[in-house]
């Protein structure tokens, strides 16, 4: 664990320190987000902050390469090359979009190309673990398109939720942390060396998200832009694919550690918020005869603002939902297959907390609005009484 913590801290530190020079560069080249109708920020803000995140990725990987335990990833796999090369392409694509606002088809083509780089370096789905303990082999004609779909969908899901200060970095950081915990348990506790790769990628992703969040939480001093949102979406999908691909269901059954379907369910569940937002946006826009990539102000975070929540509270609510689902998945990982009776309490507690959270999410703004209205009415009444008591 000490090596992983060192890599995470390196990612945090390098990203944090690089944000200031990247901000200066953004101002120099004119990479600023103007105030548009669909945005919630009120002043032009520098973007391309994803450059600092990419620097944090490189710094963390350099640190990892010098650590004895993680050297296996660089010696036995092409994981590092895969994320560096595909990440570099997606960052260049993001910079172009942040500067010149390129069209959706060009962005999609670049995302597919980045997926291809991952695939060529061994990050692709060739098998899927089944609930019965077997593995379903995926020939290239199925595995390659499925891998591309997962990568592109995850990139765009993260890109869609990047609408409030600190939202994308926090949500992805929480999802990556849940993924890191499961990968670490498999890699170190059960000693599956191949899983050091996805564990390392998830840890690096946690580090760069935390390092950037220090500058990006409301009020943000810099935006990650498409440069950053597409990069962290790519890294999240890479860690996900590797975990599913390298997970050995036979070992899970032998060690009796958790339900065999958990690795398949974990990532879709911890990123359920961005995925749900993306699916709702695509359905909403296509239903209106618009492009799925047409911008609007009907994302989940916009709805929270319209409910009456502040900017920060809206972001924290989204953090809470992702943390709740991630905590549930990690807790399930400690339930062995022969104790399935423990699943019901874990899931039940999660649903209870979710119901309470939903009630508070809707009820708190209404209660605060009523109190504010009552206070205003009382102040107006006091002013009226004061005016009527004045001598004529």
């Amino acid at each position: 664990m000490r090596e992983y913590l060192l890599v995470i801290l390196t990612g945090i530190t390098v990203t944090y320190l690089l944000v200031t020079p990247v901000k200066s560069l953004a101002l120099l080249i004119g990479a600023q987000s103007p105030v548009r109708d669909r945005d919630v920020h009120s002043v032009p803000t520098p973007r391309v902050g994803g450059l600092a995140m990419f620097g944090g990725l490189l710094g963390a990987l350099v640190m990892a390469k010098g650590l004895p335990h993680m050297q296996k990833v660089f010696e036995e796999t092409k994981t590092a090359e895969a994320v560096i090369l595909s990440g570099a392409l997606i960052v260049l694509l993001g910079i172009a979009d942040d500067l010149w606002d390129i069209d959706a088809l060009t962005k999609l083509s670049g995302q597919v190309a980045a997926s291809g780089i991952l695939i060529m370096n061994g990050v692709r789905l060739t098998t899927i673990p089944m609930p019965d303990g077997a593995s379903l082999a995926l020939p290239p004609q199925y595995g390659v398109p499925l891998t591309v779909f997962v990568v592109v969908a995850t990139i765009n899901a993260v890109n869609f939720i990047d609408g409030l200060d600190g939202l994308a970095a926090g949500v992805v950081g929480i999802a990556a942390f849940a993924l890191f915990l499961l990968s670490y348990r498999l890699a170190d506790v059960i000693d599956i060396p191949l899983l050091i790769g996805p564990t390392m990628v998830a840890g690096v992703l946690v580090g760069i998200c935390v390092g950037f969040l220090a500058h990006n939480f409301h009020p943000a001093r810099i935006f990650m832009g498409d440069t950053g949102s597409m990069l962290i979406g790519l890294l999240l999908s890479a860690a996900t694919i590797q975990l599913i691909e390298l997970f050995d269901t036979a070992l899970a059954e032998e060690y009796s550690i958790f339900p065999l379907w958990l690795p398949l369910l974990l990532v879709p569940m911890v990123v359920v918020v961005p995925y749900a937002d993306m699916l709702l946006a695509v359905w909403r826009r296509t239903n209106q005869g618009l492009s799925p990539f047409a911008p609007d102000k009907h994302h989940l975070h916009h709805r929270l603002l319209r409910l009456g929540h502040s900017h920060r509270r809206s972001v924290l609510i989204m953090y809470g939902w992702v943390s709740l689902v991630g905590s549930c998945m990690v807790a399930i990982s400690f339930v062995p297959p022969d104790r399935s009776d423990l699943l019901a309490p874990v899931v039940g507690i999660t649903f209870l907390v979710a119901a309470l959270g939903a009630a508070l999410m809707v009820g708190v703004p209404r209660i605060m609005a009523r109190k504010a209205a009552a206070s205003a009415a009382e102040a107006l009444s006091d002013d009226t009484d004061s005016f009527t008591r004045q001598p004529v």
Side-chain angles (χ1 to χ4, degrees):
M1 176 60 84
R2 285 179 295 181
E3 290 192 3
Y4 291 114
L5 290 177
L6 187 57
V7 169
I8 292 172
L9 288 174
T10 302
I12 294 173
T13 305
V14 175
T15 303
Y16 179 83
L17 294 176
L18 284 178
V19 166
T20 299
V22 167
K23 181 180 177 181
S24 301
L25 175 64
L27 293 173
L28 181 65
I29 63 177
Q32 293 193 84
S33 292
V35 180
R36 300 167 297 185
D37 179 62
R38 70 176 188 266
D39 294 325
V40 296
H41 63 281
S42 56
V43 295
T45 306
R47 48 186 176 184
V48 303
L51 272 174
M53 305 178 90
F54 186 66
L57 166 69
L58 295 178
L61 289 178
V62 169
M63 173 61 71
K65 189 174 183 180
L67 300 174
H69 182 63
M70 293 192 187
Q71 278 184 346
K72 302 174 186 176
V73 179
F74 297 86
E75 295 170 356
E76 301 173 9
T77 71
K78 292 184 176 181
T79 299
E81 292 92 328
V83 296
I84 290 174
L85 294 175
S86 61
L89 175 61
I90 213 72
V91 164
L92 290 175
L93 180 69
I95 292 172
D97 188 55
D98 288 336
L99 285 174
W100 302 299
D101 200 17
I102 60 178
D103 61 278
L105 185 59
T106 302
K107 287 171 64 175
L108 182 62
S109 301
Q111 293 166 6
V112 172
S115 307
I117 294 175
L118 288 177
I119 292 169
M120 287 188 294
N121 285 277
V123 181
R124 74 177 182 92
L125 292 169
T126 57
T127 60
I128 294 180
M130 302 299 290
D132 60 359
S135 293
L136 175 64
L138 293 174
Q141 59 266 36
Y142 298 110
V144 170
L146 182 58
T147 302
V148 172
F149 173 77
V150 171
V151 174
V152 172
T154 306
I155 289 174
N156 284 286
V158 174
N159 195 19
F160 276 33
I161 65 166
D162 186 26
L164 294 181
D165 297 352
L167 182 57
V171 166
V172 173
I174 294 168
F177 184 62
L179 186 64
F180 170 78
L181 292 177
L182 177 61
S183 300
Y184 174 77
R185 189 158 183 241
L186 288 170
D188 278 21
V189 178
I190 307 172
D191 193 21
I192 306 180
L194 287 175
L195 288 177
I196 297 174
T199 310
M200 179 187 71
V201 174
V204 170
L205 183 53
V206 172
I208 64 176
C209 285
V210 173
F212 187 75
L213 196 58
H215 294 273
N216 185 237
F217 198 72
H218 186 72
R221 296 182 291 278
I222 187 172
F223 294 152
M224 66 173 66
D226 279 16
T227 309
S229 63
M230 291 197 295
L231 174 64
I232 60 179
L234 177 80
L235 295 177
L236 184 62
S237 64
T240 301
I241 291 167
Q242 281 205 309
L243 176 61
I244 295 173
E245 164 68 16
L246 301 176
F247 175 67
D248 191 339
T249 54
L251 282 175
E253 188 174 18
E254 176 185 346
Y255 283 87
S256 187
I257 53 169
F258 53 72
L260 299 175
W261 41 262
L262 188 65
L264 284 178
L265 188 61
L266 174 73
V267 176
M269 288 303 293
V270 295
V271 293
V272 67
V273 172
Y275 275 146
D277 191 32
M278 179 184 68
L279 292 174
L280 287 172
V282 170
W283 176 83
R284 180 176 63 248
R285 293 164 185 173
T286 54
N287 196 43
Q288 296 172 352
L290 302 173
S291 166
F293 300 98
D296 60 31
K297 294 190 71 171
H298 300 287
H299 289 286
L300 294 177
H301 48 272
H302 291 128
R303 296 177 187 273
L304 288 172
L305 291 173
R306 283 197 292 271
L307 276 175
H309 293 288
S310 66
H311 194 124
R312 287 192 176 190
R313 190 161 61 228
S314 298
V315 171
L316 293 175
I317 287 172
M318 299 283 277
Y319 287 0
W321 285 116
V322 178
S323 299
L324 177 63
V325 178
S327 299
C328 178
M329 293 295 102
V330 173
I332 289 176
S333 74
F334 288 89
V335 177
D338 57 353
R339 291 301 310 275
S340 58
D341 57 301
L342 296 177
L343 288 176
V346 173
V347 176
I349 291 172
T350 302
F351 274 105
L352 182 62
V353 175
L356 178 61
L360 291 173
M361 182 178 69
V362 175
V364 167
R366 294 182 178 180
I367 294 172
M368 295 180 66
R370 288 174 184 173
K371 287 183 176 180
S375 298
E378 184 179 353
L380 181 61
S381 176
D382 291 342
D383 291 342
T384 303
D385 292 344
S386 175
F387 177 77
T388 56
R389 286 196 297 265
Q390 290 180 1
V392 179

